Amino acid sequence: MLYAIIATDRPDSLAARRATRPAHLARLEALRDAGRLLLAGPHPAIDSSDAGEAGFTGSLIVAEFESLEAATAWANADPYLEAGVYADVSVKPFIKVLP
């Protein structure tokens, strides 16, 4: 089943996000390579595709996992969470309707 992982960044976490990004991306690339990643990306803090120094307010990942428990465990091991980038993370079942 698909699960949406919705994370909210802590204020002033841009430096930690930048430092931890390679490890965060490596996990997403592993999901992609396994054919389990539907989409992933950050929420810019401003209305622009280049957030610059404004940074980000969080992230959204939609991926396939065996269960809610497996998705939650994967989300809880995210390097951004461990580095203090994320203030909170929510994991919810997701049903893709379109496209």
Side-chain angles (χ1 to χ4, degrees):
M1 177 159 193
L2 292 173
Y3 295 88
I5 299 169
I6 306 155
T8 304
D9 284 15
R10 291 185 188 283
D12 301 316
S13 61
L14 184 57
R17 179 183 265 274
R18 286 178 173 158
T20 313
R21 188 170 190 259
H24 173 78
L25 288 179
R27 296 178 79 236
L28 291 171
E29 289 164 353
L31 281 179
R32 178 201 62 206
D33 294 348
R36 296 172 41 206
L37 182 64
L38 183 64
L39 64 90
H43 301 287
I46 59 174
D47 188 13
S48 174
S49 60
D50 181 4
E53 293 304 311
F56 303 92
T57 62
S59 299
L60 170 64
I61 299 165
V62 179
E64 183 179 345
F65 292 92
E66 296 175 6
S67 64
L68 178 59
E69 293 77 19
T72 301
W74 188 91
N76 286 339
D78 193 298
Y80 280 173
L81 189 59
E82 294 172 4
V85 174
Y86 291 157
D88 61 75
V89 177
S90 174
V91 181
K92 300 177 180 185
F94 180 81
I95 298 171
K96 181 182 176 196
V97 176
L98 294 170

Coordinates of all heavy atoms in Angstrom, one line a residue:
M1 N 0.8 -1.2 0.0 CA 0.0 0.0 0.0 C 0.9 1.2 0.0 O 2.0 1.2 0.5 CB -0.9 0.0 1.2 CG -1.8 1.2 1.3 SD -3.2 0.9 2.4 CE -4.1 2.3 2.0
L2 N 0.3 2.3 -0.5 CA 1.0 3.6 -0.5 C 0.8 4.3 0.8 O -0.3 4.2 1.4 CB 0.6 4.5 -1.6 CG 0.9 4.1 -3.0 CD1 0.3 5.0 -4.1 CD2 2.5 4.1 -3.2
Y3 N 1.8 5.1 1.3 CA 1.7 5.9 2.5 C 2.3 7.2 2.2 O 3.3 7.4 1.5 CB 2.5 5.2 3.6 CG 1.9 3.9 4.0 CD1 2.2 2.7 3.4 CD2 0.8 3.9 5.0 CE1 1.6 1.5 3.7 CE2 0.2 2.7 5.3 CZ 0.6 1.5 4.7 OH 0.0 0.3 5.0
A4 N 1.6 8.3 2.8 CA 2.1 9.6 2.7 C 2.9 9.9 4.0 O 2.4 9.7 5.1 CB 1.0 10.6 2.5
I5 N 4.1 10.4 3.8 CA 4.9 10.8 5.0 C 5.0 12.3 4.9 O 5.6 12.9 3.9 CB 6.3 10.1 4.9 CG1 6.2 8.6 5.0 CG2 7.2 10.7 6.0 CD1 7.4 7.8 4.6
I6 N 4.4 13.0 5.9 CA 4.3 14.4 5.9 C 5.1 15.0 7.0 O 4.8 14.7 8.2 CB 2.8 14.8 6.0 CG1 2.0 14.2 4.9 CG2 2.7 16.4 5.9 CD1 0.6 14.0 5.2
A7 N 6.2 15.7 6.7 CA 7.0 16.2 7.8 C 7.0 17.7 7.8 O 6.9 18.4 6.8 CB 8.5 15.7 7.6
T8 N 7.2 18.3 9.0 CA 7.2 19.7 9.3 C 8.6 20.1 9.8 O 9.1 19.4 10.8 CB 6.2 20.2 10.3 OG1 4.9 19.8 9.8 CG2 6.2 21.7 10.5
D9 N 9.3 21.0 9.2 CA 10.6 21.4 9.6 C 10.6 22.3 10.9 O 9.6 23.0 11.1 CB 11.3 22.3 8.5 CG 11.8 21.4 7.4 OD1 11.4 20.3 7.2 OD2 12.6 22.0 6.6
R10 N 11.6 22.2 11.6 CA 11.8 23.1 12.8 C 12.2 24.5 12.2 O 12.9 24.5 11.2 CB 12.9 22.6 13.7 CG 12.6 21.4 14.4 CD 13.7 21.0 15.4 NE 13.5 19.7 16.0 CZ 12.6 19.5 17.0 NH1 11.9 20.4 17.4 NH2 12.4 18.2 17.4
P11 N 11.9 25.5 12.9 CA 12.4 26.8 12.5 C 14.0 26.8 12.5 O 14.6 26.1 13.3 CB 11.9 27.8 13.6 CG 10.7 27.1 14.2 CD 11.0 25.6 14.1
D12 N 14.5 27.6 11.6 CA 16.0 27.7 11.5 C 16.7 26.4 11.3 O 17.8 26.2 11.9 CB 16.5 28.4 12.8 CG 15.9 29.8 12.9 OD1 15.8 30.6 11.9 OD2 15.5 30.2 14.0
S13 N 16.2 25.5 10.6 CA 16.8 24.2 10.4 C 17.5 24.0 9.0 O 17.9 22.9 8.6 CB 15.8 23.1 10.5 OG 14.7 23.2 9.6
L14 N 17.6 25.1 8.2 CA 18.1 25.0 6.9 C 19.6 24.5 6.9 O 19.9 23.7 6.0 CB 18.1 26.4 6.2 CG 18.5 26.4 4.7 CD1 17.7 25.4 3.9 CD2 18.4 27.8 4.2
A15 N 20.4 24.9 7.8 CA 21.8 24.5 7.8 C 21.9 22.9 8.0 O 22.6 22.2 7.4 CB 22.6 25.2 8.8
A16 N 21.1 22.5 9.0 CA 21.0 21.0 9.3 C 20.5 20.3 8.1 O 20.9 19.2 7.7 CB 20.2 20.8 10.5
R17 N 19.5 20.8 7.4 CA 18.9 20.2 6.2 C 19.9 20.0 5.1 O 20.1 19.0 4.5 CB 17.7 21.0 5.7 CG 17.0 20.5 4.5 CD 15.9 21.4 4.0 NE 14.6 21.0 4.5 CZ 13.8 20.1 4.0 NH1 14.1 19.5 2.9 NH2 12.6 19.8 4.5
R18 N 20.6 21.1 4.9 CA 21.7 21.1 3.8 C 22.8 20.0 4.2 O 23.2 19.3 3.3 CB 22.3 22.4 3.6 CG 21.4 23.4 2.9 CD 22.0 24.8 2.8 NE 21.2 25.6 2.0 CZ 21.2 27.0 2.0 NH1 22.1 27.6 2.8 NH2 20.4 27.7 1.2
A19 N 23.2 20.0 5.4 CA 24.3 19.1 5.8 C 23.8 17.6 5.7 O 24.6 16.7 5.5 CB 24.7 19.4 7.2
T20 N 22.6 17.4 6.0 CA 22.0 16.0 6.1 C 21.4 15.5 4.8 O 21.1 14.3 4.6 CB 21.0 15.9 7.2 OG1 21.5 16.5 8.4 CG2 20.7 14.5 7.6
R21 N 21.3 16.4 3.8 CA 20.6 16.1 2.5 C 21.2 14.9 1.8 O 20.4 14.0 1.3 CB 20.6 17.3 1.6 CG 19.7 17.1 0.4 CD 19.6 18.4 -0.4 NE 18.6 18.3 -1.4 CZ 18.9 18.1 -2.7 NH1 20.1 18.1 -3.1 NH2 17.9 18.0 -3.6
P22 N 22.5 14.7 1.7 CA 23.0 13.5 1.0 C 22.5 12.2 1.6 O 22.1 11.3 0.9 CB 24.5 13.6 1.1 CG 24.7 15.1 1.2 CD 23.6 15.6 2.0
A23 N 22.5 12.1 2.9 CA 22.0 10.8 3.5 C 20.5 10.7 3.4 O 20.0 9.6 3.1 CB 22.3 10.9 5.0
H24 N 19.7 11.8 3.4 CA 18.3 11.8 3.2 C 18.0 11.3 1.8 O 17.1 10.4 1.6 CB 17.7 13.1 3.5 CG 16.3 13.3 3.2 ND1 15.3 12.9 4.0 CD2 15.7 13.9 2.1 CE1 14.1 13.2 3.4 NE2 14.3 13.8 2.3
L25 N 18.7 11.9 0.8 CA 18.4 11.5 -0.6 C 18.8 10.0 -0.9 O 18.2 9.4 -1.7 CB 19.2 12.4 -1.5 CG 18.7 13.8 -1.6 CD1 19.6 14.7 -2.6 CD2 17.2 13.9 -2.1
A26 N 19.9 9.5 -0.2 CA 20.3 8.2 -0.5 C 19.2 7.2 -0.1 O 18.9 6.2 -0.8 CB 21.5 7.8 0.4
R27 N 18.4 7.5 1.0 CA 17.3 6.6 1.4 C 16.2 6.7 0.4 O 15.6 5.7 0.0 CB 16.8 7.0 2.8 CG 17.9 6.7 3.8 CD 17.3 7.1 5.2 NE 16.5 6.1 5.7 CZ 15.2 6.3 6.1 NH1 14.7 7.4 6.1 NH2 14.5 5.3 6.6
L28 N 15.9 7.9 -0.1 CA 14.9 8.0 -1.1 C 15.3 7.4 -2.5 O 14.4 6.7 -3.1 CB 14.6 9.5 -1.4 CG 13.9 10.3 -0.2 CD1 13.9 11.8 -0.5 CD2 12.5 9.7 0.0
E29 N 16.5 7.5 -2.8 CA 17.0 6.8 -4.0 C 16.9 5.3 -3.9 O 16.6 4.6 -4.9 CB 18.4 7.2 -4.3 CG 18.5 8.7 -4.8 CD 19.9 9.3 -4.8 OE1 20.8 8.6 -4.2 OE2 20.1 10.4 -5.2
A30 N 17.1 4.8 -2.8 CA 16.9 3.3 -2.6 C 15.5 2.9 -2.8 O 15.2 1.9 -3.4 CB 17.4 2.9 -1.2
L31 N 14.5 3.7 -2.3 CA 13.1 3.4 -2.5 C 12.8 3.5 -4.0 O 12.1 2.7 -4.5 CB 12.2 4.4 -1.7 CG 12.0 4.2 -0.3 CD1 11.1 5.4 0.3 CD2 11.4 2.9 0.0
R32 N 13.3 4.6 -4.6 CA 13.1 4.7 -6.1 C 13.6 3.5 -6.9 O 13.0 3.0 -7.7 CB 13.8 6.0 -6.6 CG 13.6 6.2 -8.1 CD 14.7 7.2 -8.6 NE 16.0 6.6 -8.4 CZ 17.1 7.3 -8.3 NH1 17.0 8.7 -8.4 NH2 18.3 6.8 -8.2
D33 N 14.9 3.1 -6.5 CA 15.5 2.0 -7.2 C 14.7 0.7 -7.0 O 14.8 -0.2 -7.9 CB 16.9 1.9 -6.8 CG 17.8 3.1 -7.3 OD1 17.3 3.9 -8.1 OD2 18.9 3.2 -6.8
A34 N 14.0 0.6 -5.9 CA 13.2 -0.6 -5.6 C 11.8 -0.5 -6.3 O 11.0 -1.4 -6.1 CB 13.1 -0.8 -4.1
G35 N 11.6 0.6 -6.9 CA 10.3 0.8 -7.6 C 9.1 1.2 -6.6 O 8.0 1.0 -6.9
R36 N 9.5 1.7 -5.4 CA 8.5 1.9 -4.4 C 8.2 3.4 -4.1 O 7.3 3.7 -3.3 CB 9.0 1.3 -3.1 CG 9.1 -0.2 -3.2 CD 9.7 -0.9 -2.0 NE 9.3 -0.3 -0.7 CZ 10.0 -0.4 0.4 NH1 11.2 -1.0 0.4 NH2 9.6 0.2 1.5
L37 N 8.9 4.3 -4.8 CA 8.7 5.7 -4.5 C 7.8 6.3 -5.6 O 8.1 6.2 -6.8 CB 10.1 6.4 -4.5 CG 10.1 7.9 -4.2 CD1 9.6 8.2 -2.8 CD2 11.5 8.5 -4.4
L38 N 6.7 6.9 -5.1 CA 5.8 7.6 -6.1 C 6.3 9.1 -6.3 O 6.3 9.5 -7.4 CB 4.4 7.6 -5.5 CG 3.3 8.2 -6.4 CD1 3.2 7.4 -7.7 CD2 2.0 8.2 -5.7
L39 N 6.6 9.8 -5.2 CA 7.1 11.1 -5.3 C 7.7 11.5 -3.9 O 7.4 10.9 -2.9 CB 5.9 12.1 -5.6 CG 4.8 12.3 -4.7 CD1 5.1 13.4 -3.7 CD2 3.5 12.6 -5.4
A40 N 8.5 12.5 -4.0 CA 9.2 13.1 -2.8 C 9.7 14.5 -3.1 O 10.1 14.8 -4.2 CB 10.4 12.2 -2.4
G41 N 9.6 15.3 -2.1 CA 10.1 16.7 -2.3 C 9.8 17.6 -1.1 O 8.9 17.2 -0.2
P42 N 10.5 18.7 -1.0 CA 10.3 19.7 0.1 C 9.2 20.7 -0.2 O 8.8 20.9 -1.4 CB 11.6 20.4 0.1 CG 12.1 20.4 -1.3 CD 11.6 19.1 -1.9
H43 N 8.7 21.3 0.8 CA 7.8 22.5 0.7 C 8.6 23.7 0.9 O 9.0 24.0 2.1 CB 6.7 22.4 1.8 CG 5.9 21.1 1.8 ND1 4.9 20.9 0.8 CD2 5.9 20.0 2.6 CE1 4.4 19.7 1.0 NE2 4.9 19.2 2.1
P44 N 8.8 24.5 -0.1 CA 9.6 25.8 0.1 C 8.8 26.7 1.0 O 7.6 26.8 0.9 CB 9.7 26.3 -1.4 CG 8.9 25.5 -2.2 CD 8.4 24.3 -1.5
A45 N 9.6 27.5 1.7 CA 8.9 28.5 2.6 C 8.4 29.7 1.9 O 7.6 30.5 2.5 CB 10.0 28.9 3.7
I46 N 8.8 29.9 0.6 CA 8.3 31.0 -0.2 C 7.7 30.4 -1.5 O 7.9 29.2 -1.8 CB 9.4 32.0 -0.5 CG1 10.5 31.3 -1.3 CG2 9.8 32.7 0.7 CD1 11.6 32.3 -1.8
D47 N 6.9 31.2 -2.2 CA 6.3 30.8 -3.4 C 7.3 30.8 -4.6 O 7.2 31.7 -5.4 CB 5.1 31.6 -3.7 CG 4.2 31.2 -4.9 OD1 4.4 30.0 -5.3 OD2 3.4 31.9 -5.3
S48 N 8.2 29.9 -4.6 CA 9.3 29.8 -5.6 C 9.8 28.4 -5.7 O 9.9 27.7 -4.6 CB 10.4 30.8 -5.2 OG 11.5 30.7 -6.1
S49 N 10.3 28.0 -6.8 CA 10.9 26.7 -7.0 C 12.4 26.8 -6.4 O 13.0 25.7 -6.3 CB 10.9 26.3 -8.4 OG 11.6 27.2 -9.2
D50 N 12.9 28.0 -6.2 CA 14.2 28.2 -5.5 C 14.0 28.9 -4.2 O 13.9 30.1 -4.1 CB 15.1 29.0 -6.5 CG 16.5 29.2 -5.9 OD1 16.8 28.6 -4.8 OD2 17.3 29.9 -6.5
A51 N 14.0 28.1 -3.2 CA 13.7 28.6 -1.8 C 14.8 29.5 -1.3 O 14.6 30.3 -0.4 CB 13.4 27.5 -0.9
G52 N 16.0 29.2 -1.8 CA 17.2 30.0 -1.3 C 17.3 30.0 0.2 O 17.1 29.0 0.9
E53 N 17.6 31.1 0.8 CA 17.8 31.2 2.2 C 16.5 31.2 3.0 O 16.5 31.1 4.2 CB 18.6 32.5 2.5 CG 20.1 32.4 2.0 CD 20.8 31.2 2.6 OE1 20.8 30.9 3.8 OE2 21.4 30.5 1.7
A54 N 15.4 31.3 2.3 CA 14.1 31.2 3.0 C 13.9 29.8 3.5 O 13.2 29.6 4.5 CB 12.9 31.6 2.0
G55 N 14.5 28.8 2.9 CA 14.4 27.5 3.4 C 13.1 26.8 3.1 O 12.4 27.1 2.1
F56 N 12.8 25.8 3.9 CA 11.7 25.0 3.7 C 10.8 24.8 4.9 O 11.3 25.0 6.1 CB 12.2 23.6 3.2 CG 13.0 23.7 2.0 CD1 14.4 23.8 2.1 CD2 12.4 23.7 0.7 CE1 15.2 23.9 0.9 CE2 13.2 23.8 -0.4 CZ 14.6 23.9 -0.3
T57 N 9.6 24.5 4.7 CA 8.7 24.3 5.9 C 8.4 22.8 6.2 O 7.8 22.5 7.2 CB 7.3 25.0 5.7 OG1 6.7 24.4 4.5 CG2 7.5 26.5 5.5
G58 N 8.9 21.9 5.3 CA 8.7 20.5 5.5 C 8.9 19.7 4.2 O 9.4 20.2 3.2
S59 N 8.4 18.5 4.2 CA 8.6 17.6 3.1 C 7.4 16.7 3.0 O 6.7 16.4 3.9 CB 9.8 16.7 3.3 OG 11.0 17.5 3.4
L60 N 7.2 16.1 1.7 CA 6.2 15.1 1.5 C 6.9 14.0 0.7 O 7.6 14.2 -0.3 CB 5.1 15.7 0.6 CG 4.1 14.7 0.1 CD1 3.3 14.1 1.2 CD2 3.1 15.4 -0.9
I61 N 6.6 12.8 1.2 CA 7.1 11.5 0.5 C 5.9 10.6 0.4 O 5.1 10.5 1.3 CB 8.2 10.8 1.4 CG1 9.4 11.7 1.5 CG2 8.5 9.5 0.7 CD1 10.3 11.3 2.6
V62 N 5.7 10.1 -0.8 CA 4.6 9.1 -1.0 C 5.3 7.8 -1.6 O 6.0 7.9 -2.6 CB 3.5 9.5 -1.9 CG1 2.5 8.4 -2.1 CG2 2.8 10.8 -1.4
A63 N 5.2 6.7 -0.8 CA 6.0 5.5 -1.2 C 5.2 4.3 -0.7 O 4.3 4.4 0.1 CB 7.4 5.5 -0.6
E64 N 5.6 3.2 -1.3 CA 4.9 1.9 -1.0 C 5.7 1.2 0.1 O 6.9 1.1 0.1 CB 4.9 1.0 -2.2 CG 4.2 -0.3 -2.0 CD 4.2 -1.2 -3.3 OE1 4.5 -0.6 -4.4 OE2 3.9 -2.4 -3.2
F65 N 4.9 0.7 1.1 CA 5.5 0.0 2.2 C 4.5 -1.2 2.5 O 3.4 -1.2 2.1 CB 5.6 0.8 3.5 CG 6.6 1.9 3.4 CD1 6.3 3.2 2.9 CD2 8.0 1.7 3.7 CE1 7.2 4.2 2.8 CE2 8.9 2.6 3.6 CZ 8.6 3.9 3.1
E66 N 5.0 -2.2 3.2 CA 4.3 -3.4 3.6 C 3.1 -3.1 4.5 O 2.1 -3.8 4.5 CB 5.1 -4.4 4.2 CG 6.2 -5.0 3.3 CD 7.2 -5.9 4.1 OE1 6.9 -6.2 5.3 OE2 8.2 -6.3 3.5
S67 N 3.3 -2.1 5.4 CA 2.3 -1.8 6.4 C 2.5 -0.4 6.9 O 3.6 0.2 6.7 CB 2.4 -2.8 7.5 OG 3.6 -2.6 8.2
L68 N 1.5 0.1 7.7 CA 1.7 1.4 8.3 C 2.9 1.4 9.3 O 3.6 2.3 9.4 CB 0.4 1.8 9.1 CG 0.4 3.1 9.8 CD1 0.7 4.3 8.9 CD2 -0.9 3.3 10.6
E69 N 3.0 0.3 10.0 CA 4.1 0.1 10.9 C 5.5 0.2 10.2 O 6.4 0.9 10.7 CB 4.0 -1.2 11.7 CG 2.8 -1.3 12.6 CD 1.5 -1.5 11.9 OE1 1.5 -2.0 10.8 OE2 0.5 -1.2 12.5
A70 N 5.6 -0.4 9.0 CA 6.8 -0.4 8.3 C 7.1 1.0 7.7 O 8.3 1.5 7.8 CB 6.8 -1.4 7.1
A71 N 6.1 1.7 7.3 CA 6.2 3.1 6.8 C 6.6 4.0 7.9 O 7.5 4.9 7.8 CB 4.9 3.6 6.2
T72 N 6.0 3.8 9.1 CA 6.4 4.7 10.3 C 7.8 4.4 10.7 O 8.5 5.3 11.0 CB 5.4 4.4 11.4 OG1 4.1 4.7 10.9 CG2 5.7 5.2 12.6
A73 N 8.2 3.2 10.7 CA 9.6 2.8 11.1 C 10.6 3.5 10.2 O 11.6 4.0 10.6 CB 9.8 1.3 11.2
W74 N 10.3 3.4 8.9 CA 11.2 4.0 7.9 C 11.2 5.5 8.1 O 12.3 6.1 8.1 CB 10.7 3.7 6.5 CG 11.6 4.1 5.4 CD1 12.6 3.3 4.8 CD2 11.6 5.3 4.7 NE1 13.3 4.1 3.9 CE2 12.7 5.3 3.8 CE3 10.9 6.5 4.8 CZ2 13.0 6.4 3.0 CZ3 11.2 7.6 4.0 CH2 12.2 7.5 3.1
A75 N 10.1 6.1 8.3 CA 10.1 7.6 8.5 C 10.8 8.0 9.7 O 11.5 9.0 9.7 CB 8.6 8.1 8.5
N76 N 10.7 7.2 10.8 CA 11.3 7.5 12.0 C 12.9 7.4 12.0 O 13.6 7.9 12.9 CB 10.8 6.7 13.2 CG 9.4 7.2 13.6 OD1 9.0 8.3 13.3 ND2 8.6 6.3 14.2
A77 N 13.4 6.7 11.0 CA 14.8 6.5 10.8 C 15.4 7.6 9.8 O 16.6 7.5 9.5 CB 15.1 5.1 10.3
D78 N 14.6 8.5 9.4 CA 15.1 9.5 8.4 C 16.2 10.4 9.0 O 16.1 10.8 10.1 CB 13.9 10.4 8.0 CG 14.3 11.2 6.8 OD1 15.2 12.0 6.8 OD2 13.6 11.1 5.7
P79 N 17.3 10.6 8.3 CA 18.4 11.4 8.8 C 17.9 12.8 9.1 O 18.5 13.4 10.1 CB 19.4 11.4 7.6 CG 19.1 10.1 6.9 CD 17.6 9.9 7.0
Y80 N 16.9 13.4 8.4 CA 16.4 14.7 8.8 C 15.8 14.7 10.2 O 16.0 15.7 10.9 CB 15.4 15.2 7.8 CG 16.0 15.7 6.5 CD1 15.1 16.1 5.5 CD2 17.3 16.0 6.3 CE1 15.6 16.6 4.3 CE2 17.8 16.5 5.1 CZ 16.9 16.8 4.1 OH 17.4 17.3 2.9
L81 N 15.1 13.7 10.5 CA 14.5 13.6 11.9 C 15.7 13.5 12.9 O 15.7 14.2 13.9 CB 13.6 12.4 12.0 CG 12.7 12.3 13.2 CD1 11.9 13.5 13.4 CD2 11.9 11.1 13.2
E82 N 16.6 12.6 12.6 CA 17.7 12.4 13.6 C 18.6 13.7 13.7 O 19.1 13.9 14.8 CB 18.6 11.2 13.1 CG 17.9 9.9 13.2 CD 18.6 8.8 12.5 OE1 19.8 9.0 12.1 OE2 18.1 7.7 12.5
A83 N 18.7 14.5 12.7 CA 19.5 15.7 12.7 C 18.7 16.9 13.3 O 19.3 18.0 13.4 CB 20.0 16.0 11.3
G84 N 17.5 16.7 13.6 CA 16.7 17.8 14.1 C 16.1 18.7 13.1 O 15.6 19.8 13.5
V85 N 16.1 18.4 11.8 CA 15.5 19.2 10.8 C 13.9 19.1 11.0 O 13.3 20.2 10.9 CB 15.8 18.7 9.4 CG1 15.1 19.4 8.3 CG2 17.4 18.8 9.2
Y86 N 13.4 17.9 11.2 CA 11.9 17.8 11.3 C 11.5 18.0 12.8 O 12.1 17.4 13.7 CB 11.5 16.4 10.9 CG 11.6 16.1 9.4 CD1 11.7 14.8 8.9 CD2 11.6 17.1 8.4 CE1 11.8 14.5 7.6 CE2 11.7 16.8 7.1 CZ 11.8 15.5 6.7 OH 11.9 15.2 5.3
A87 N 10.5 18.8 12.9 CA 9.8 18.9 14.2 C 8.9 17.8 14.5 O 8.7 17.3 15.6 CB 9.1 20.3 14.3
D88 N 8.2 17.4 13.4 CA 7.2 16.2 13.6 C 7.0 15.6 12.2 O 7.3 16.2 11.2 CB 5.9 16.7 14.2 CG 5.2 17.7 13.3 OD1 4.7 17.3 12.2 OD2 5.2 18.9 13.7
V89 N 6.6 14.3 12.3 CA 6.4 13.5 11.1 C 5.1 12.8 11.3 O 4.9 12.2 12.3 CB 7.5 12.5 10.8 CG1 7.3 11.7 9.6 CG2 8.9 13.3 10.7
S90 N 4.3 12.8 10.2 CA 3.0 12.1 10.2 C 3.0 11.1 9.1 O 3.5 11.4 8.0 CB 1.8 13.1 10.0 OG 0.6 12.4 9.9
V91 N 2.5 9.9 9.3 CA 2.5 8.8 8.3 C 1.0 8.4 8.2 O 0.4 8.0 9.2 CB 3.4 7.6 8.7 CG1 3.3 6.6 7.6 CG2 4.8 8.1 8.9
K92 N 0.5 8.5 6.9 CA -0.9 8.1 6.7 C -1.0 7.2 5.5 O -0.3 7.4 4.5 CB -1.7 9.4 6.4 CG -1.7 10.4 7.6 CD -2.5 11.6 7.1 CE -2.5 12.6 8.3 NZ -3.4 13.8 7.9
P93 N -2.0 6.3 5.5 CA -2.2 5.5 4.3 C -2.7 6.5 3.2 O -3.3 7.5 3.4 CB -3.4 4.6 4.7 CG -3.3 4.5 6.1 CD -2.8 5.8 6.6
F94 N -2.3 6.1 1.9 CA -2.6 7.0 0.8 C -3.2 6.2 -0.4 O -2.6 5.1 -0.7 CB -1.3 7.7 0.4 CG -1.5 8.7 -0.8 CD1 -2.0 9.9 -0.6 CD2 -1.1 8.3 -2.1 CE1 -2.2 10.8 -1.7 CE2 -1.3 9.1 -3.2 CZ -1.8 10.4 -3.0
I95 N -4.2 6.7 -1.0 CA -4.8 6.0 -2.2 C -4.6 6.9 -3.4 O -5.2 8.0 -3.4 CB -6.3 5.6 -2.0 CG1 -6.4 4.6 -0.8 CG2 -6.8 5.0 -3.3 CD1 -7.8 4.4 -0.4
K96 N -3.9 6.5 -4.3 CA -3.7 7.3 -5.6 C -4.9 7.1 -6.4 O -5.2 6.0 -6.8 CB -2.4 6.9 -6.3 CG -2.2 7.7 -7.6 CD -1.0 7.2 -8.3 CE -0.8 8.0 -9.6 NZ 0.1 7.4 -10.5
V97 N -5.6 8.2 -6.8 CA -6.7 8.2 -7.7 C -6.4 8.7 -9.1 O -6.7 8.0 -10.0 CB -7.9 9.0 -7.1 CG1 -9.1 9.1 -8.0 CG2 -8.3 8.5 -5.7
L98 N -5.7 9.8 -9.2 CA -5.3 10.4 -10.4 C -3.8 10.8 -10.4 O -3.4 11.2 -9.3 CB -6.2 11.6 -10.8 CG -7.6 11.3 -11.0 CD1 -8.4 12.6 -11.1 CD2 -7.8 10.5 -12.3
P99 N -3.1 11.0 -11.4 CA -3.4 10.5 -12.7 C -3.3 9.0 -12.8 O -2.6 8.3 -12.0 CB -2.4 11.1 -13.7 CG -1.2 11.4 -12.8 CD -1.8 11.6 -11.4

